[in-house]
Amino acid sequence: MDALKLLTNRRSSKKLKPPAPDAAELEQILQAATQVPDHGNMRPFRFTVIRTEAGLQRFRRILAQTVTELNFGAEALQKAEKVGNMAPMVIGVTFAPNREVAKPKPEWEQMLTAGCAAYALQLAATAQGFDNVWITGMWVNSPLLREAFGCADKDKIIGLMMVGTPTEEAHKPKNTDLEAFVSHW
């Protein structure tokens, strides 16, 4: 896929079905995610890949337990079920600030790197013909999911990347009116 076309046409999709990326495609996705701008080579990101049926069942249980333990209610339980069944693959992206080097970079800069890794992951999946969507909300703050992903105190789950095969035709480009976002000097 042409890089410029990929960048200007990528859209999120919540309507995903199997198949998910195979092992070789997943390897390329994760390699792309690690090639992002990273001042000081801090590598402040971690990925948790959920793709087996047992892993997806565990993920669904954690979402449901989060709703129950935090008393989010029936509507949130329905949302948990929807999120848990949204895609045949979930890749959790965690920001894990690196402080173990002689000259650590600011945490805000490291978090941007982790965000870039998440976006590169999306682009690499799209380039291989898979659709995806970046989910946050109450799930990324779940103490149970943080524990399952092995988060340390300062770590933050910045997204659940839902990845699969599109169930419908791709959305059209946004054709953004740039005037509101751009100034020229």
Side-chain angles (χ1 to χ4, degrees), residues 16 31-32 41 69 94 97 106 112 120 131 133 147 155 163 167-168:
L16 305 166
Q31 282 294 334
N41 200 27
E69 288 186 17
T94 301
L112 289 173
D131 271 1
V133 63
E147 181 181 334
D155 295 357
V163 183
T167 61
E168 56 188 33

Side-chain angles (χ1 to χ4, degrees), residues 45-108:
F45 41 74
R46 301 290 176 270
F47 306 105
T48 303
V49 179
I50 305 167
R51 64 179 175 164
T52 65
E53 188 52 40
L56 289 166
Q57 287 177 6
R58 179 179 176 203
F59 176 66
R60 291 179 195 118
R61 273 194 312 274
I62 290 170
L63 296 181
Q65 286 175 316
T66 295
V67 171
T68 303
E69 288 186 17
L70 299 176
N71 292 320
F72 285 146
E75 189 176 316
L77 195 54
Q78 288 176 328
K79 208 173 204 179
E81 186 174 330
K82 182 179 177 182
V83 169
N85 290 294
M86 188 177 288
M89 178 183 282
V90 179
I91 304 174
V93 181
T94 301
F95 163 58
N98 186 338
R99 293 183 195 80
E100 297 183 19
V101 294
K103 293 183 177 182
K105 304 304 175 211
E107 280 192 24
W108 67 265

Side-chain angles (χ1 to χ4, degrees), residues 30 33 44-48 90-96 113-119 121 134 140 149 151 156-161:
L30 295 172
F45 41 74
R46 301 290 176 270
F47 306 105
T48 303
V90 179
I91 304 174
V93 181
T94 301
F95 163 58
T113 295
C116 287
Y119 185 53
L121 187 153
W134 182 333
V140 297
F149 284 7
C151 291
K156 296 181 185 316
I157 300 170
I158 62 169
L160 301 171
M161 309 315 238

